[in-house]
């Protein structure tokens, strides 16, 4: 073998080795991809029925929205708490757990970074997406105390936050209330009588704050509506350090814990066996049939504890004024989207999918 031929052979075997190696790497990648796809189809990290149902979407065969499915799971759970492992999320409808998160161990359940990351562009440093002492109200109070000016971004955050806090929530509740009144004309008639009875004793025809406050039945109707259709269906917090909830559920640091007002309004163990029924009288258990509020940990429609909704009373008064004004003069009948049953749709604030077409008739 001469020197020239020897070099050629060496070059050939080097090339062959490179091609062989490339083929090997390619084959390993194909096998790895195949294995990953195979494993992905089998979800080996969690094969529990909840995770499977969530990932395959099979829950949608029996339920029209995710909230109804969660409500079903929570009703079946002895503790009123379930885990969706693939989401790293614990969902609870247990009032003791809600009190633990929103009051007893409030500092251990902040809003958390994941929520702020998702909604940061929309809400900025507004009320819904920040925790602890950096929230909008704390900053506002600090700026007042120190006499410091507020900038444009800060004002934008206030406007967006209040629009979201006070507009979409109230309009969501007003939509569902007319949906329920349409199905329950006797309730609308009782509201009408209550408003008329109050008017007889008044000298002015103007609706006053005192008059609205005296409408216990209407107050009950509004609360019963939000029990079944809470404008904020669920609320998430992120656990800061490992914790054990009062029902014994262990939550690790970083885990998402969600309390679910929509499901809580549908728990027989909280509201009794007729929990699915729209029955305003359940709130009228005070002397002479007056309204009695429920603990906010059992009815966290406005959240509860240290960060309870600041617009709660205003929202109820606003809704009362609108509902009474409409009901006194009109019958509102839901006609639906081409005759279809209205579908309650989850979201940051709930709505009726596609809107709620109605026919309005003067009474
Ligand atoms: C039916 C109507 C309403 C419902 C169901 C509702 C519900 C809620 C909920 C669930 C929260 C807690 C959000 C969270 O931290 O995750 C909240 C907070 C808040 N809401 Fe409302 N809300 C309503 C109306 C209003 C109105 C009309 C206003 C004022 C115009 C308002 C002002 C606020 C404010 C300022 C907070 C933040 C409180 C804090 O973080 O300290 N809300 N609301």
């Amino acid at each position: 073998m001469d020197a020239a031929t020897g070099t050629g052979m060496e070059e050939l075997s080097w090339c062959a080795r490179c091609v062989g190696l490339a083929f090997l790497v390619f084959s390993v990648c194909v096998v790895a991809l195949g294995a990953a796809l195979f494993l992905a189809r089998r979800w080996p990290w969690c094969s529990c029925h909840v995770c499977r149902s969530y990932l395959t979407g099979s829950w949608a065969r029996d339920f029209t929205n995710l909230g109804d499915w969660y409500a079903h799971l929570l009703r079946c759970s002895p503790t009123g708490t379930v885990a969706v492992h693939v989401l790293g999320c614990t969902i609870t409808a247990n009032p003791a757990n809600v009190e633990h998160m929103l009051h007893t161990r409030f500092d251990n359940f902040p809003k958390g970074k994941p929520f702020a990351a998702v909604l940061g562009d929309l809400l900025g440093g507004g009320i819904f997406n920040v925790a602890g002492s950096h929230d909008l109200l704390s900053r506002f109070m600090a700026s007042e105390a120190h006499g410091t000016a507020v900038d444009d971004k800060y004002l934008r955050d206030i406007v967006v936050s209040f629009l979201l806090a006070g507009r979409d929530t109230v309009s969501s509740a007003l939509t569902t209330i007319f949906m329920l009144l349409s199905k329950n004309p006797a309730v609308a008639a009782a509201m009408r009588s209550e408003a008329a009875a109050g008017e007889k004793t008044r000298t002015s025809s103007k609706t006053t704050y005192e008059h609205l406050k005296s409408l216990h039945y209407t107050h009950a109707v509004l609360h019963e509506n939000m029990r079944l259709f809470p404008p904020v269906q669920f609320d998430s917090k992120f656990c800061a350090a490992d914790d054990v909830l009062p029902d014994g559920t262990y939550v690790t640091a970083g885990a998402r814990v969600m309390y679910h007002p929509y499901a809580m309004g549908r728990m027989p163990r909280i509201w009794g066996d007729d929990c699915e029924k729209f029955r305003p009288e359940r709130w009228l258990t005070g002397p002479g049939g007056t309204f009695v509020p429920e603990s906010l940990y059992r009815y966290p429609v406005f959240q509860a504890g240290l960060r309870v909704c600041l617009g709660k009373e205003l929202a109820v008064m606003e809704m009362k004024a609108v509902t009474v004004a409409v009901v006194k003069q009109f019958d509102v009948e839901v006609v639906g989207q081409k005759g279809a049953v209205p579908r309650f749709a989850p979201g940051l604030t709930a709505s009726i999918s596609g809107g709620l077409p109605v026919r309005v008739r003067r009474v």
Side-chain angles (χ1 to χ4, degrees), residues 111 127-128 137 162 165-166 169 231 235 301-303 307-309 311 315:
K111 201 87 196 133
I127 52 176
F128 280 105
L137 294 170
F162 271 84
T169 47
D235 210 315
V301 163
F302 292 98
Q303 195 161 258
R307 296 294 293 271
V308 67
C309 169

Side-chain angles (χ1 to χ4, degrees), residues 157-192:
D157 292 353
I158 290 186
V159 172
V160 173
S161 292
F162 271 84
L163 277 181
L164 193 78
R167 190 199 65 166
D168 294 359
T169 47
V170 170
S171 64
S172 167
L174 283 173
T175 308
T176 50
I177 199 162
F178 284 109
M179 183 176 81
L180 286 171
L181 290 180
S182 166
K183 277 197 274 181
N184 296 273
V187 175
M191 284 173 70
R192 218 166 272 142

